[in-house]
Amino acid sequence: MRLNLNKIKITMQVLKETLHKEGLRYTKQRQEIWNELRSSDKHRDAEEILFTLRKRGLKISRATVYRTIDVLVKNNLIDKLDIGDGRARFEYNDKYLHHDHLICTSCDKIIEFNNNEIEELQNKIAKQHNFKLLYHSHQLFGICKDCK
Amino acid sequence: MRLNLNKIKITMQVLKETLHKEGLRYTKQRQEIWNELRSSDKHRDAEEILFTLRKRGLKISRATVYRTIDVLVKNNLIDKLDIGDGRARFEYNDKYLHHDHLICTSCDKIIEFNNNEIEELQNKIAKQHNFKLLYHSHQLFGICKDCK
DNA sequence: AATTTTAATGAGACTAAATCTCAATAAAAT
DNA sequence: ATTTTATTGAGATTTAGTCTCATTAAAATT
Ligand SMILES: [Mn+2]
Ligand SMILES: [Mn+2]
Ligand SMILES: [Zn+2]
Ligand SMILES: [Zn+2]
């Protein structure tokens, strides 16, 4: 319990410092959106975040959700994920355990993987092209074990 | 010249056979869209294809472009590419020389790469998860050599 | 603590890519 | 040549995401 409360405090501090660094204000809505994303390992879309927070009694608009998500993505606090259905998903970005995704085209299940060899090869390719790698998007689409 | 004409004949035959296999008709519009994509190495969006063909005098609608693209993507004759600006791009799928992309977030340049080690690692990861890999999407975003 | 300054928010209008509808048309089968 | 059936075109519709602008709230100043 003690640890848990501290963890929340620390991640909220991360948000506060990021916003300060960008000259942005530490608002209730931004706190709630960040808390919602960092405390779950689901891949959420904007509308889902909006309605979850509204159900919880927060006064918040669609525009604010999209605007906040942009700030969080640009500052690498969350990652944007395209699973191929035209609706972007977002998830907490754990810098110490990066992962990419396998996506089942039959049941939409999302499976996470992390592979350091691929990460290294990506760096190597970028270097070969004298390209400054900022981020990447890597998805494997197919049929999961439960669907075949 | 002889070879060039034969090459066109062969790729048009590929389309004809694919459509036949799917119980679909070999129409003028489908021929022109396929010819447009297979004879260029650009990454085109739907609107671009539509206006190129109209400028060339073909009577064709937006709906037909999108519908045909879907057929070609599903049959692996072309690949769909998401460069992160909300507009899908399409390109000829050369089965004998697969490639993925580096995308400059500053000038939108698209650089192609192919790396067999990564392709093999993808297969390995899919196998580990008992996942039938159908296709993948792999983009490296950053700043190209001309922009930095 | 009250006031001033300035950025953020909410409601809903707007945009743009992609999809859908349905009457007219053209490909293929007969 | 005629019939059958899929395809097309025009434009309406959907939907994720963005924009506007009056109102509100955070932070700076007094
Ligand atoms: Mn994930
Ligand atoms: Mn390419
Ligand atoms: Zn599945
Ligand atoms: Zn560039």
Side-chain angles (χ1 to χ4, degrees):
Chain A
M1 191 54 183
R2 182 66 191 288
L3 270 170
N4 222 342
L5 281 177
N6 272 344
K7 203 176 164 191
I8 292 171
K9 227 172 160 182
I10 289 163
T11 47
M12 293 320 283
Q13 197 56 31
V14 168
L15 176 67
K16 197 168 186 175
E17 280 163 14
T18 302
L19 292 174
H20 190 81
K21 185 194 70 190
E22 296 272 299
L24 301 172
R25 290 176 179 178
Y26 185 63
T27 67
K28 192 97 211 357
Q29 287 81 354
R30 284 171 178 162
Q31 290 168 46
E32 294 283 346
I33 292 166
W34 167 235
N35 191 50
E36 189 57 28
L37 282 161
R38 65 139 286 280
S39 66
S40 136
D41 55 2
K42 285 189 208 143
H43 303 88
R44 335 268 312 265
D45 66 40
E47 211 75 357
E48 220 178 302
I49 295 166
L50 176 65
F51 283 103
T52 302
L53 294 179
R54 278 188 176 167
K55 224 176 291 169
R56 208 174 288 161
L58 183 69
K59 187 163 193 289
I60 189 165
S61 72
R62 172 172 296 106
T64 295
V65 172
Y66 278 105
R67 286 185 289 226
T68 300
I69 279 171
D70 281 351
V71 173
L72 299 178
V73 169
K74 276 186 190 125
N75 287 279
N76 294 310
L77 297 189
I78 62 173
D79 283 326
K80 187 177 181 171
L81 174 62
D82 171 27
I83 67 165
D85 66 353
R87 213 167 347 125
R89 307 302 154 98
F90 304 91
E91 67 176 333
Y92 174 63
N93 172 9
D94 183 344
K95 277 103 181 158
Y96 302 100
L97 200 78
H98 168 77
H99 67 262
D100 290 295
H101 302 92
L102 290 146
I103 297 158
C104 179
T105 54
S106 172
C107 72
D108 296 329
K109 200 199 285 47
I110 301 178
I111 302 160
E112 306 186 334
F113 73 88
N114 77 69
N115 184 294
N116 270 90
E117 290 178 79
I118 291 180
E119 301 294 323
E120 283 308 315
L121 286 165
Q122 291 179 146
N123 292 333
K124 191 178 144 194
I125 291 161
K127 205 167 184 178
Q128 281 169 357
H129 288 86
N130 194 9
F131 188 92
K132 184 185 174 175
L133 188 54
L134 294 176
Y135 57 96
H136 66 262
S137 158
H138 194 186
Q139 277 92 250
L140 310 183
F141 293 90
I143 310 295
C144 79
K145 65 176 202 295
D146 302 332
C147 287
K148 56 182 192 182
Chain B
M1 189 55 177
R2 181 67 191 288
L3 271 170
N4 221 343
L5 282 177
N6 272 345
K7 205 176 164 191
I8 292 172
K9 228 172 160 183
I10 288 164
T11 47
M12 294 320 283
Q13 197 56 32
V14 167
L15 176 67
K16 196 167 187 174
E17 280 164 15
T18 301
L19 292 173
H20 190 80
K21 183 195 69 185
E22 296 273 298
L24 301 172
R25 289 174 181 181
Y26 185 64
T27 66
K28 191 98 209 1
Q29 287 81 353
R30 285 172 178 162
Q31 289 168 47
E32 293 284 347
I33 292 166
W34 167 235
N35 191 49
E36 189 56 27
L37 282 161
R38 64 140 284 282
S39 65
S40 137
D41 54 4
K42 284 189 209 143
H43 303 90
R44 336 267 313 263
D45 65 42
E47 211 74 355
E48 220 178 303
I49 295 166
L50 176 65
F51 283 102
T52 303
L53 294 180
R54 278 187 177 167
K55 224 176 290 168
R56 207 175 288 162
L58 183 68
K59 188 165 193 288
I60 188 163
S61 72
R62 171 171 296 107
T64 295
V65 171
Y66 277 105
R67 286 185 287 227
T68 301
I69 280 171
D70 282 350
V71 174
L72 299 178
V73 168
K74 276 187 190 124
N75 286 278
N76 294 310
L77 297 188
I78 62 174
D79 283 326
K80 186 176 183 173
L81 174 63
D82 170 28
I83 67 166
D85 67 352
R87 213 168 348 126
R89 308 301 153 97
F90 303 91
E91 67 177 332
Y92 173 64
N93 173 9
D94 183 345
K95 277 102 182 159
Y96 300 101
L97 199 78
H98 167 77
H99 67 261
D100 289 296
H101 303 90
L102 290 145
I103 297 159
C104 179
T105 53
S106 171
C107 72
D108 296 330
K109 200 197 284 58
I110 301 177
I111 303 160
E112 305 186 333
F113 72 87
N114 77 68
N115 183 292
N116 268 90
E117 289 178 79
I118 291 180
E119 300 294 323
E120 282 307 317
L121 285 164
Q122 290 179 145
N123 291 333
K124 191 179 144 193
I125 291 161
K127 204 166 184 180
Q128 280 168 354
H129 288 86
N130 194 7
F131 188 91
K132 184 185 175 175
L133 189 54
L134 295 175
Y135 56 97
H136 65 263
S137 160
H138 194 186
Q139 279 92 250
L140 309 183
F141 293 90
I143 310 294
C144 77
K145 66 176 201 294
D146 301 334
C147 287
K148 55 180 193 182

